[in-house]
């Protein structure tokens, strides 16, 4: 699956491109999981799904999934206000 009713699907992943380079629209599905460990069946899951990461300047491998999802939701709603 790469889209669902014209929604763009993104997966949070440390190997993805920076969130700052992604143009977010109002029809988005976010897949959040263990960002540092990736997802099971990664080859099947990511066929056509864009991987994105949240850039940070902290010395941590990844963020807690709840924090990462909150940041993504904030970015989506902030971009919708523009």
């Amino acid at each position: 699956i790469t889209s669902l009713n014209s929604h763009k699907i993104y997966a949070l992943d440390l190997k993805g491109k920076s969130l700052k380079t992604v143009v977010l629209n109002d029809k988005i599905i976010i897949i959040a999981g263990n960002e540092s460990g990736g997802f099971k069946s990664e080859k099947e899951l990511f066929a056509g799904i864009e991987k994105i990461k949240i850039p940070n300047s902290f010395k941590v491998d990844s963020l807690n999934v709840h924090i990462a999802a909150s940041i993504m939701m904030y970015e989506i709603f902030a971009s919708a206000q523009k």
Side-chain angles (χ1 to χ4, degrees), residues 36-62:
S36 67
F39 294 92
K40 300 218 184 234
S41 303
E42 188 170 318
K43 289 180 182 177
E44 295 172 19
L45 175 66
F46 288 123
I49 296 174
E50 191 168 348
K51 297 182 202 178
I52 56 175
K53 67 180 176 182
I54 298 169
N56 71 65
S57 59
F58 309 111
K59 295 183 185 221
V60 295
D61 288 337
S62 87

Side-chain angles (χ1 to χ4, degrees), residues 14 18 67-68:
L14 286 176
S18 173
I67 300 299

Side-chain angles (χ1 to χ4, degrees), residues 4 17 19 24 28 34 38 41 45-47 54 62 64 82:
L4 181 62
K17 66 181 182 179
L19 169 64
L24 301 171
I28 296 173
N34 183 341
S41 303
L45 175 66
F46 288 123
I54 298 169
S62 87
N64 173 286
K82 293 179 183 178

Side-chain angles (χ1 to χ4, degrees), residues 6-81:
S6 74
H7 287 66
K8 178 69 179 165
I9 302 175
Y10 295 100
L12 293 174
D13 189 279
L14 286 176
K15 298 174 189 157
K17 66 181 182 179
S18 173
L19 169 64
K20 298 296 181 186
T21 65
V22 175
V23 176
L24 301 171
N25 64 24
D26 60 346
K27 295 184 177 183
I28 296 173
I29 296 171
I30 300 294
I31 300 172
N34 183 341
E35 190 182 26
S36 67
F39 294 92
K40 300 218 184 234
S41 303
E42 188 170 318
K43 289 180 182 177
E44 295 172 19
L45 175 66
F46 288 123
I49 296 174
E50 191 168 348
K51 297 182 202 178
I52 56 175
K53 67 180 176 182
I54 298 169
N56 71 65
S57 59
F58 309 111
K59 295 183 185 221
V60 295
D61 288 337
S62 87
L63 300 171
N64 173 286
V65 68
H66 299 103
I67 300 299
S70 297
I71 292 169
M72 282 302 305
M73 287 185 274
Y74 172 81
E75 291 293 336
I76 291 166
F77 291 121
S79 69
Q81 301 300 315

